[in-house]
Amino acid sequence: MNNYSFLASDNQQNNRYKFVSKSTIDAQRHEANGRGRSALGDSYLRSCALNSAQQGDYTEAIALLTELIDRHPHNAVDYNNRGLIYFQSGSLSKALCDYNTALQLNPKLASAYNNRANYYAACGELAAALADYEQAIDLNPSYVRARINRGITLRDLEQYEEAIETFEVALLFGQLEGHIWAERGRTYHLWGDWNCAIADYRRALTQLPSLTHKRDMSGCRLRLQLENWLNDLLNPEEC
């Protein structure tokens, strides 16, 4: 795979399915007692799946989403989320199958185009990735994650000027500024504009979570990567 991290869909990264309160969980567990997991509500299962994925228990997360799909075989969002977890666990072909199913069920699901584009980019199919990112943006022009991913892919194609323009448009939406500054800085870095790169890296460090922040793993990974990029510029003799 490429040495950068794409941003996944909002469903997973922004915790669209918030954890239900403890009292609600306890009530549902009591109701389901003796009847197995099938008695649990859909929203609770989605919360459990998200929690399992965040803890790295992909097998359990996939099992929970599979149960939801069995209950609601025409729910595109559940296929999309299961595909994302397959992707995170390294089961790329299964991820692609779920993304395709999600899009067959709902051709206007922008997050599924973004996630499928991430699959294509990870496999080196950059033209297909760009097409899906652009489709996601067409469906949802304020989809900042897809814009960031599009910029990363353009950078990988060494189309630095267009990548910079993509990141600058993404900044207009006032979301994920730390991610955008980091990736724009990396683009300036590779393009040879080291002053702009250092400025963007430092801006990003004010926004990205600390390495001890366990709730935003993508932000933590990017921060660690960013610190390495900045060190490459400030201390080239150490490289």
Side-chain angles (χ1 to χ4, degrees), residues 76-87:
V77 171
D78 289 331
Y79 279 102
N80 184 37
N81 285 339
R82 190 177 69 173
L84 179 56
I85 296 172
Y86 273 133
F87 183 81

Side-chain angles (χ1 to χ4, degrees), residues 87-146:
F87 183 81
Q88 292 170 339
S89 68
S91 299
L92 301 189
S93 60
K94 291 180 179 179
L96 178 61
C97 181
D98 272 357
Y99 296 150
N100 286 338
T101 301
L103 289 170
Q104 288 170 4
L105 293 169
N106 183 0
K108 295 184 178 181
L109 186 58
S111 60
Y113 283 105
N114 177 70
N115 291 345
R116 190 174 70 175
N118 291 348
Y119 161 84
Y120 285 135
C123 294
E125 299 178 40
L126 302 186
L130 283 176
D132 269 1
Y133 290 135
E134 288 161 7
Q135 182 64 36
I137 293 166
D138 285 344
L139 290 167
N140 182 2
S142 64
Y143 196 173
V144 172
R145 294 173 187 278

Side-chain angles (χ1 to χ4, degrees), residues 9-180:
S9 73
D10 294 329
N11 296 340
Q12 290 289 334
Q13 293 286 349
N14 281 347
N15 299 352
R16 177 177 175 179
Y17 300 113
K18 301 294 185 183
F19 294 124
V20 292
S21 66
K22 184 178 186 299
S23 60
T24 304
I25 293 173
D26 289 343
Q28 287 178 318
R29 283 175 175 165
H30 179 74
E31 179 184 352
N33 186 32
R35 288 184 289 160
R37 197 158 64 189
S38 62
L40 297 175
D42 293 347
S43 62
Y44 177 61
L45 286 185
R46 290 191 180 96
S47 294
C48 289
L50 175 59
N51 188 33
S52 295
Q54 290 175 332
Q55 298 299 319
D57 189 350
Y58 298 127
T59 300
E60 176 66 8
I62 289 167
L64 290 166
L65 286 167
T66 299
E67 183 168 335
L68 283 163
I69 288 168
D70 289 342
R71 293 183 185 185
H72 309 288
H74 301 294
N75 189 325
V77 171
D78 289 331
Y79 279 102
N80 184 37
N81 285 339
R82 190 177 69 173
L84 179 56
I85 296 172
Y86 273 133
F87 183 81
Q88 292 170 339
S89 68
S91 299
L92 301 189
S93 60
K94 291 180 179 179
L96 178 61
C97 181
D98 272 357
Y99 296 150
N100 286 338
T101 301
L103 289 170
Q104 288 170 4
L105 293 169
N106 183 0
K108 295 184 178 181
L109 186 58
S111 60
Y113 283 105
N114 177 70
N115 291 345
R116 190 174 70 175
N118 291 348
Y119 161 84
Y120 285 135
C123 294
E125 299 178 40
L126 302 186
L130 283 176
D132 269 1
Y133 290 135
E134 288 161 7
Q135 182 64 36
I137 293 166
D138 285 344
L139 290 167
N140 182 2
S142 64
Y143 196 173
V144 172
R145 294 173 187 278
R147 291 184 182 276
I148 295 171
N149 291 336
R150 179 177 184 271
I152 292 171
T153 304
L154 289 167
R155 183 181 71 211
D156 205 46
L157 289 166
E158 299 184 0
Q159 297 178 21
Y160 298 122
E161 185 172 3
E162 190 172 353
I164 293 292
E165 291 174 356
T166 298
F167 294 131
E168 289 177 349
V169 172
L171 283 169
L172 298 176
F173 294 91
Q175 303 171 33
L176 298 167
E177 288 97 335
H179 286 266
I180 298 168

Side-chain angles (χ1 to χ4, degrees), residues 187-203:
T187 305
Y188 279 127
H189 186 166
L190 295 174
W191 203 11
D193 190 337
W194 291 6
N195 288 330
C196 285
I198 291 170
D200 271 358
Y201 287 160
R202 287 177 171 163
R203 288 190 190 99

Side-chain angles (χ1 to χ4, degrees), residues 169-238:
V169 172
L171 283 169
L172 298 176
F173 294 91
Q175 303 171 33
L176 298 167
E177 288 97 335
H179 286 266
I180 298 168
W181 283 326
E183 299 296 356
R184 190 179 69 174
R186 181 57 174 170
T187 305
Y188 279 127
H189 186 166
L190 295 174
W191 203 11
D193 190 337
W194 291 6
N195 288 330
C196 285
I198 291 170
D200 271 358
Y201 287 160
R202 287 177 171 163
R203 288 190 190 99
L205 287 172
T206 69
Q207 296 288 322
L208 292 173
S210 67
L211 297 179
T212 60
H213 194 285
K214 302 301 183 184
R215 301 291 294 177
D216 184 1
M217 294 307 297
S218 68
C220 290
R221 286 193 297 268
L222 181 56
R223 184 184 186 92
L224 182 59
Q225 199 169 48
L226 187 156
E227 290 176 351
N228 290 332
W229 293 337
L230 185 58
N231 186 64
D232 288 348
L233 283 178
L234 298 179
N235 302 291
E237 68 280 358
E238 297 180 5

